[in-house]
Amino acid sequence: MLTRYQLTVGAMARLVDATLIGGLWLASFWLRFHVPLIEVTKGFPTFSTYAALTPLVVVLWAVILTMQGVYRPQGSPRRLAEIAVLFKAHLSAILCFVALTYVFSEYRYSRGVILYFGVLGALALVADRMAVRAIFRGLLRRGYRTRKVLLVGEGRPLELLVGRITRFPELGLHISGVLLPAGSAATDVAGRPVLGHFGDVGRALRDTGAHKVLIALARQQWAELEKILEEIKDETVDIQVVVPDLHEYAILGSAVEDFDGLPIVSLNESPLLGWRAAVKRATDVLLAGVALLIGAPVFLIIAATVKLTSRGPIFYAQERMGLDGRTFKMYKFRSMRIDAEAATGAVWAKAGDDRRTPIGGFLRATSLDEIPQFWNVLVGNMSLVGPRPERPVFVNQFRHQISHYMLRHRVKAGVTGWAQVNGWRGNTSLDQRILCDLYYIRNWSYLFDLKILLLTVWKGFVNRNAY
């Protein structure tokens, strides 16, 4: 359904994108040196120098846009989602282009040309995609490749399916009619005629000439699926089964994979697999190692101050829960008395906590007590970015109080995270913190991690909720 539409649009877009990218690269040269908004001071290069690079530009953009999923069938043809993917892919291609020309070419291409190309390319790619959509919708309105569909089902799954088809007319689907379970007295569903019951599916197909059957059964009707499929097993139509009831369990997203011919729906799979996990791990090791080396003098000063101002060890090791529910020892500079929980047991710190050491309040408010966690990152127990790790005693409490709490352990715990940069730190709303953690996991990307790291530095390490 969506795949057919988006593969068709994608094929048209690939050709138009390649033509636009090549043309805009040459147009950017002309604009910079023949219609200069800023005076040219370093001479006029030859046109052939830039024209010779056109094949590389076209191929590079085609590869990057493909790798970034611009032409891949998505779960929804919504415009804003498509534009966001386009912008991200275009920016990635520009960065790769600058890096390649800097490393492999002695000639330095004009920054003005690259700027023109970056802006014009982004606008043109979006305009191209909207134009392709408009052309495709126009063709469908004229009846070109419109496909008749027969809907089989009842209840919310059927209503959701009708709503989706109505919302996206560019899919070219025309609902010929609906089949309901035996005993239903309804004559229409959202204005679509009821043509009979589940057992009439074969007859309805022949009467309407439908090209596709979409089956959207409520959970209690799944036993009817085998009978319906048996009825139409010899029909030459597309058959698709909608399973929206599973959506409520797919908090982190879902995917369908082929296991030697057996379709399997994956629910709540971690986004950090394969090369994504490798790149994130490499970044963690590099940045944590640099932080430990550069910050060594500061660490020594803090360690000496902790030792001189209070009785007990310099570091505080506390059990926390991380990836897949495994526990590990998280290290901090000690900011509390060694008997801080002797009388109370495990409790959260609070404002004006009298258990803090003479410099404990300062260390906690400035997040300097967190510095030893770079060692946890280096050895692989934590990541620089991720949901903050919690103590098992609190995890066992929260998992029964907060829906989907344990899903935050589908990725490594982090030194900083989306919840922390949004102010949800310390003794603040757990519900809001979980929402931020799940949002981070669902929308993870390498650029998202970099954004959180930059926001952590930009907003500073001082936090009014760190007691």
Side-chain angles (χ1 to χ4, degrees):
M1 188 159 59
L2 287 176
T3 300
R4 178 188 294 270
Y5 163 73
Q6 289 176 317
L7 286 178
T8 304
V9 172
M12 295 173 64
R14 282 178 190 271
L15 179 61
V16 179
D17 287 351
T19 305
L20 277 175
I21 290 298
L24 287 173
W25 172 247
L26 300 177
S28 299
F29 171 86
W30 183 81
L31 287 171
R32 175 65 186 100
F33 295 109
H34 295 277
V35 192
L37 297 178
I38 301 175
E39 183 181 358
V40 178
T41 60
K42 296 183 180 180
F44 290 80
T46 61
F47 175 74
S48 60
T49 303
Y50 284 76
L53 210 60
T54 304
L56 171 64
V57 171
V58 172
V59 171
L60 178 63
W61 255 253
V63 170
I64 297 295
L65 264 60
T66 300
M67 290 177 61
Q68 292 286 334
V70 169
Y71 306 114
R72 185 187 309 145
Q74 304 293 328
S76 166
R78 289 188 174 89
R79 292 181 183 179
L80 288 180
E82 193 169 20
I83 290 172
V85 172
L86 274 171
F87 278 150
K88 177 183 173 183
H90 182 56
L91 177 60
S92 300
I94 290 174
L95 294 176
C96 288
F97 173 76
V98 172
L100 287 172
T101 55
Y102 184 83
V103 172
F104 295 107
S105 175
E106 294 182 2
Y107 180 79
R108 294 293 172 255
Y109 292 89
S110 167
R111 287 173 293 181
V113 172
I114 295 174
L115 179 61
Y116 273 122
F117 181 58
V119 174
L120 293 175
L123 296 176
L125 286 171
V126 172
D128 155 32
R129 205 52 41 84
M130 296 303 103
V132 169
R133 277 181 176 274
I135 292 170
F136 202 70
R137 284 198 300 270
L139 291 173
L140 291 172
R141 279 196 295 269
R142 290 172 174 77
Y144 176 73
R145 292 184 66 82
T146 298
R147 295 170 62 78
K148 299 177 183 178
V149 297
L150 194 65
L151 306 186
V152 181
E154 189 185 38
R156 180 167 173 76
L158 182 63
E159 293 169 5
L160 289 172
L161 182 58
V162 173
R164 294 296 194 279
I165 294 174
T166 304
R167 186 185 305 172
F168 300 116
E170 59 264 42
L171 297 178
L173 300 179
H174 171 73
I175 301 175
S176 298
V178 182
L179 296 173
L180 299 177
S184 175
T187 58
D188 72 276
V189 175
R192 272 63 177 185
V194 173
L195 304 180
H197 304 303
F198 291 171
D200 302 319
V201 61
R203 175 190 57 77
L205 271 175
R206 291 186 289 273
D207 290 346
T208 61
H211 307 92
K212 181 190 291 285
V213 177
L214 291 174
I215 304 172
L217 301 177
R219 192 178 307 168
Q220 62 271 23
Q221 295 166 343
W222 282 357
E224 300 289 329
L225 180 59
E226 185 176 357
K227 299 176 184 177
I228 297 170
L229 294 177
E230 179 68 22
E231 181 73 18
I232 56 177
K233 66 179 181 180
D234 294 323
E235 301 290 343
T236 57
V237 295
D238 294 336
I239 302 172
Q240 291 181 305
V241 179
V242 183
V243 284
D245 282 1
L246 292 179
H247 185 266
E248 62 186 280
Y249 301 105
I251 306 304
L252 302 183
S254 61
V256 179
E257 59 180 301
D258 184 283
F259 182 50
D260 194 26
L262 180 67
I264 297 178
V265 180
S266 301
L267 302 178
N268 299 330
E269 189 170 83
S270 170
L272 290 169
L273 300 171
W275 69 268
R276 294 179 173 186
V279 171
K280 184 175 174 68
R281 178 63 185 144
T283 304
D284 285 342
V285 171
L286 176 63
L287 295 184
V290 170
L292 288 171
L293 286 174
I294 295 178
V298 177
F299 306 162
L300 291 174
I301 293 172
I302 295 175
T305 307
V306 171
K307 192 65 177 176
L308 293 172
T309 57
S310 64
R311 181 173 58 86
I314 294 171
F315 297 106
Y316 177 59
Q318 191 177 70
E319 189 178 33
R320 297 289 178 112
M321 187 171 289
L323 179 64
D324 293 332
R326 296 192 295 268
T327 59
F328 65 96
K329 292 291 185 181
M330 188 182 79
Y331 296 98
K332 292 185 176 186
F333 282 122
R334 187 172 56 82
S335 59
M336 295 280 192
R337 299 193 314 264
I338 57 175
D339 60 347
E341 294 184 337
T344 61
V347 293
W348 276 3
K350 58 183 183 296
D353 203 315
D354 59 5
R355 299 174 300 160
R356 294 176 299 186
T357 64
I359 67 160
F362 172 76
L363 291 177
R364 296 174 74 89
T366 57
S367 301
L368 290 174
D369 64 321
E370 310 274 0
I371 290 175
Q373 289 169 39
F374 285 120
W375 174 254
N376 286 114
V377 174
L378 199 61
V379 299
N381 293 325
M382 295 176 63
S383 175
L384 290 174
V385 181
R388 286 291 295 165
E390 193 51 82
R391 299 169 70 176
V393 62
F394 292 134
V395 171
N396 291 331
Q397 174 186 343
F398 299 150
R399 68 187 303 171
H400 300 297
Q401 298 176 349
I402 303 171
S403 181
H404 313 307
Y405 180 84
M406 293 303 292
L407 292 179
R408 68 199 301 271
H409 299 107
R410 296 295 292 135
V411 298
K412 281 185 181 180
V415 177
T416 185
W418 187 236
Q420 282 63 46
V421 298
N422 281 285
W424 304 108
R425 176 181 172 182
N427 195 9
T428 54
S429 170
L430 282 172
D431 289 325
Q432 291 298 324
R433 201 180 309 174
I434 297 305
L435 287 176
C436 285
D437 290 341
L438 296 182
Y439 177 86
Y440 167 76
I441 299 172
R442 278 196 303 267
N443 297 279
W444 181 89
S445 71
Y446 189 72
L447 291 179
F448 195 13
D449 268 7
L450 294 182
K451 176 181 178 179
I452 292 172
L453 289 173
L454 290 173
L455 283 173
T456 301
V457 175
W458 175 260
K459 293 186 175 184
F461 299 96
V462 178
N463 190 288
R464 58 188 175 87
N465 295 319
Y467 307 129

